[in-house]
Amino acid sequence: MNRLIDTPDLTELQREILRAVREFVDKEILPVAGELDREDTYPTRIVAGLKELGVFGLTIDPEYGGLGEPLLTYALVVEEISRGWMSISGIINTHFIVSYLIGRHGTQEQKAAFLPAMAAGDIRAAFSMSEPDLGSDVAAIKTRARRDNSKRREGGQEEREEGDNHDYIITGRKMWLTNGASSNLVLLLARTDEGNERPHQNLTAFLIEKEPGLGETRPGLTIPGKIHKMGYKGVDTTELILDECAVPAARVLGERPGQGFYQMMDGIEVGRVNVAARACGVAMRAFELGIAYAQQRETFGRPIAKHQAIEFKLAEMGTKTVAAHQMMIMAARAKDEGRQSDLQAGMAKYLASEYCKEVVEDALRIHGGYGYSTEYEIERLYRDAPMLLIGEGTSEIQKMIIGRRLLESHAAPAAR
């Protein structure tokens, strides 16, 4: 089948990477995605294949064993993987955000400690901001980290030394961790309240190492179980409970307490490009399924694609898929060029996720009653698409960001 979209001005290496990923998706993901989704099974074999392809180290600096590719390459890879099964892109997304933040904001010791193993896929990461009572309102985080000025002796005795600052002790509850169980590293945002006046200036990002699995995976850190979801199966989504969990001060991201909000927002920006790329991939697959079925299914003596109502739907689906792809490319390239790109990332995430929902629904309508059957792939896409409207900030949050940035850049003379 001819491809609906192509990205201009790519390097030969980028095209080679995308060809390899596309072949992997067609051979290793699409044939098994339906079964794995129905059984809600973690795709161990697929993850192993992604490790062999080098996807986990795609953007990590070659100094640490990665390929050093830009965000654009990563976004295009995510688009291809999401075309096969969106859950797989979720497995690498939080890992990518954490490796990006360590590479950009981490100390040299933190980079050396984590990035080589992350590039190999041996360390896989989760990213945690949300809590049971908050999602997009990051400044309202309740999980707290306090300084512990005690030094533990053998036998469990404690000796307090003024100014020792040996550990942070973290207590709280986190929600919606993608890869919460399968990860062995969590980048977590907590409130430190170290004297700053504004709430968002009292937030600190911590790198917390743990064992994979459920239950207590580190002293004071518990992953209670998987959250059961309508779609987005296979990938584990969990809570995280912290009860007096001790974390060394050397595991504060960049060893910069109080900078967690700014660091995490940098990560969210690339995360929104990722969600846009996921939406593009799901929309592309929905378009492929819809246009193929429309040419096979006959009513009144001819394929339904020959009926104007269906032809119009296909025209709209194709246009929306291409438009979302172009917006995603624009946002990725803006970030790669070092420009402030929260406007472009917000636009791309908003447009692509909304268009994805519409394209998937139209493809399901083209399938008629069969689209509602679990025997057809479009049913899975229909359950997966809504998550993209919520992840990395709802459409309403994106519109707030977009509106504010537009007003700043187009302020009337009297308002400047």
Side-chain angles (χ1 to χ4, degrees), residues 90-204:
I91 289 170
I92 62 174
N93 177 42
T94 54
H95 175 91
F96 161 70
I97 293 176
V98 175
S99 67
Y100 168 83
L101 288 174
I102 293 173
R104 185 173 174 85
H105 300 285
T107 65
Q108 289 302 316
E109 186 275 331
Q110 289 167 355
K111 293 176 186 179
F114 296 116
L115 292 182
M118 293 183 80
D122 296 328
I123 289 180
R124 297 209 294 276
F127 180 78
S128 176
M129 291 198 304
S130 296
E131 297 184 357
D133 296 327
L134 66 94
S136 298
D137 186 9
V138 178
I141 279 176
K142 297 178 181 177
T143 297
R144 292 187 177 273
R146 73 176 193 276
R147 292 277 193 172
D148 178 24
N149 294 327
S150 64
K151 205 168 197 174
R152 289 166 179 75
R153 291 175 170 175
E154 292 183 8
Q157 294 179 327
E158 293 186 350
E159 176 184 358
R160 295 198 173 272
E161 296 182 4
E162 186 176 352
D164 181 39
N165 295 330
H166 182 64
D167 289 325
Y168 282 89
I169 305 298
I170 308 178
T171 298
R173 185 180 173 196
K174 291 293 185 177
M175 196 72 176
W176 307 118
L177 271 79
T178 301
N179 299 324
S182 54
S183 63
N184 41 15
L185 176 67
V186 178
L187 182 56
L188 179 145
L189 195 61
R191 181 169 301 285
T192 43
D193 289 337
E194 295 187 292
N196 293 307
E197 294 181 2
R198 298 181 179 181
H200 66 272
Q201 292 176 326
N202 283 313
L203 298 173
T204 297

Side-chain angles (χ1 to χ4, degrees), residues 368-410:
Y370 290 110
Y372 205 63
S373 166
T374 58
E375 297 300 313
Y376 280 72
E377 187 180 342
I378 190 63
E379 180 269 346
R380 168 168 58 83
L381 303 187
Y382 191 75
R383 287 185 288 104
D384 282 346
M387 198 283 292
L388 298 168
L389 300 170
I390 301 166
E392 310 293 10
T394 63
S395 291
E396 289 70 28
I397 288 292
Q398 307 311 315
K399 287 190 279 189
M400 285 173 56
I401 294 168
I402 294 165
R404 288 171 183 172
R405 293 295 175 265
L406 291 175
L407 287 169
E408 288 172 4
S409 61
H410 294 77

Side-chain angles (χ1 to χ4, degrees), residues 71 329-341 344-345:
L71 175 61
I329 295 302
M330 178 194 72
R333 283 183 163 148
K335 186 70 174 177
D336 282 333
E337 291 167 5
R339 293 186 277 130
Q340 182 178 353
S341 54
Q344 292 90 337

Side-chain angles (χ1 to χ4, degrees), residues 306-326:
K306 297 295 184 180
H307 297 302
Q308 191 179 66
I310 302 301
E311 198 171 48
F312 280 7
K313 279 192 184 298
L314 293 172
E316 292 170 359
M317 291 162 65
T319 301
K320 289 173 181 177
T321 301
V322 172
H325 174 83
Q326 295 298 333

